[in-house]
Amino acid sequence: MAASALKIPVILASTSPRRIYLMSQIHLPIEVLTPQSDEKPLKGEKPNPLVSRLSTEKAQSVKEVALQRFGNCLIIGADTIVVSPNQQKILGKPKDRDEAIKMLKMLAGKTHVVLTGYCALMATLKKPDRKIVRVVQSKVKLRPLTRTLIEKYVDSGEPMDKAGAYAAQGLGMALIERIEGSYANVVGLPIAQVLMDLEKTFKISLFSWTK
């Protein structure tokens, strides 16, 4: 990808096509590195601590390689989960077709929460690291779905690598009745909130890279 116009490179610790797309929409040049993280919740781990931990682990996991390749850099890691309407279950990526159908039946016609945790890590060769870790919440209501519609959507293949077994873009847009909060957060990264944090904490002027 193109070199950043900022004073330091920006590294996205994610190979998610959705997050890469969101970054491209604001014309922020990034370098992509593949993070290493076991996304399974720890025993008794709640949703907010889970996405905070995973986003931090993902950012930290690429730090050594990023410093070797690019020197001082800003690393962004993120993790998105769906929480069941009764707030009792964390819905990650379905492991198979049956689980995807089960998730969509659980969500159909109801409101649930989508959480994205992100970690912005300022990694340097000589100074201590600085970081921001934040969790952003959006509420999503899916429209009522018939068994036939659910099966056709699952058979499209789109849900299989998505938390909660649906996408907020593509075919999945047809399933969503309403979103309260950040749409980008549901896609995978709350862009406006991230940029505000970068401006406040790291003094990175918004859209300075477009000049």
Side-chain angles (χ1 to χ4, degrees):
M1 296 195 177
S4 174
L6 299 175
K7 293 181 180 179
I8 60 171
V10 177
I11 314 302
L12 180 63
S14 174
T15 56
S16 163
R18 279 82 60 192
R19 296 191 183 111
I20 295 171
Y21 171 78
L22 287 169
M23 289 293 197
S24 74
Q25 292 300 289
I26 59 169
H27 307 291
L28 175 59
I30 58 172
E31 300 287 346
V32 174
L33 292 178
T34 303
Q36 301 297 320
S37 180
D38 184 348
E39 297 185 351
K40 293 180 181 178
L42 302 176
K43 184 176 181 180
E45 192 170 27
K46 300 297 184 182
N48 280 47
L50 172 63
V51 292
S52 295
R53 175 177 65 82
L54 291 179
S55 62
T56 302
E57 285 182 359
K58 290 177 180 180
Q60 291 283 1
S61 73
V62 305
K63 174 186 166 183
E64 184 175 344
V65 172
L67 287 173
Q68 289 175 353
R69 291 189 188 178
F70 308 107
N72 297 348
C73 56
L74 174 67
I75 304 171
I76 298 174
D79 190 77
T80 301
I81 61 170
V82 170
V83 182
S84 64
N86 64 6
Q87 302 285 305
Q88 298 301 308
K89 190 172 183 179
I90 295 170
L91 305 181
K93 299 171 185 176
K95 64 178 183 292
D96 54 32
R97 181 179 186 274
D98 288 343
E99 187 171 44
I101 291 172
K102 183 179 179 180
M103 286 183 182
L104 288 167
K105 287 177 66 178
M106 182 188 303
L107 299 175
K110 299 176 182 176
T111 299
H112 62 273
V113 168
V114 176
L115 298 175
T116 295
Y118 64 86
C119 173
L121 174 67
M122 186 67 76
T124 60
L125 294 166
K126 296 182 179 180
K127 297 180 180 179
D129 295 340
R130 293 184 294 152
K131 67 180 179 182
I132 308 162
V133 181
R134 192 178 303 283
V135 178
V136 176
Q137 172 181 298
S138 299
K139 292 183 178 180
V140 180
K141 182 178 181 181
L142 297 192
R143 67 186 182 93
L145 305 172
T146 64
R147 172 83 184 199
T148 299
L149 182 56
I150 288 173
E151 290 182 348
K152 285 185 176 180
Y153 179 59
V154 171
D155 289 340
S156 75
E158 185 176 270
M160 301 315 296
D161 65 339
K162 312 293 192 302
Y166 75 92
Q169 68 288 340
L171 292 172
M173 288 191 293
L175 309 183
I176 296 174
E177 181 177 314
R178 182 172 65 250
I179 293 177
E180 296 179 25
S182 167
Y183 167 76
N185 185 58
V186 181
V187 176
L189 191 64
I191 292 294
Q193 289 85 347
V194 171
L195 294 180
M196 286 189 288
D197 271 340
L198 297 187
E199 183 178 51
K200 182 177 180 180
T201 303
F202 301 128
K203 309 306 178 185
I204 295 175
S205 298
L206 299 185
F207 307 115
S208 60
W209 55 88
T210 63
K211 295 179 180 179

